[in-house]
Amino acid sequence: MKGNQMEQMKLFQWINMVSFAVNDIVLYLDTHPMDQEAIAYFNHFREVRMHALKEYEDCYGPLTVDTAKPEQKWLWAMQPMPWEGGNC
């Protein structure tokens, strides 16, 4: 596997892990909306996730439509998806 593909795969895995943490804490906050520690956790990992998505976009193109630049909103659908080609 080429080095660039390996780095892309690692970054994609990191995005998946951080996204899971964000989604999980959102579920907790649905029932514990005043938990300040959980809110801080959410804010931290939301920022980490957005940074990783931005890094992915800069290197490989947008991963989701919400991270695409306004003038390129639909170009994200034209690039190979990270899971295409058996590299994940």
Side-chain angles (χ1 to χ4, degrees):
M1 183 177 287
K2 293 180 185 174
N4 194 32
Q5 287 177 324
M6 182 64 85
E7 292 304 312
Q8 182 179 6
M9 190 172 82
K10 285 179 184 177
L11 183 54
F12 184 65
Q13 271 185 306
W14 175 244
I15 290 169
N16 283 334
M17 290 187 316
V18 172
S19 295
F20 181 86
V22 169
N23 290 336
D24 197 43
I25 198 64
V26 165
L27 294 174
Y28 176 81
L29 284 168
D30 283 345
T31 58
H32 301 81
M34 305 308 257
D35 186 333
Q36 293 302 310
E37 190 175 338
I39 292 169
Y41 181 93
F42 167 77
N43 287 332
H44 170 73
F45 281 101
R46 181 185 57 173
E47 286 295 318
V48 170
R49 180 179 181 273
M50 290 309 296
H51 176 74
L53 286 170
K54 174 80 172 98
E55 183 179 345
Y56 191 97
E57 177 186 355
D58 291 346
C59 295
Y60 311 108
L63 188 58
T64 63
V65 72
D66 58 316
T67 61
K69 293 175 179 71
E71 66 276 4
Q72 299 176 331
K73 278 286 189 201
W74 303 111
L75 292 180
W76 71 275
M78 305 304 260
Q79 67 187 14
M81 294 293 123
W83 53 86
E84 293 179 334
N87 295 323
C88 289

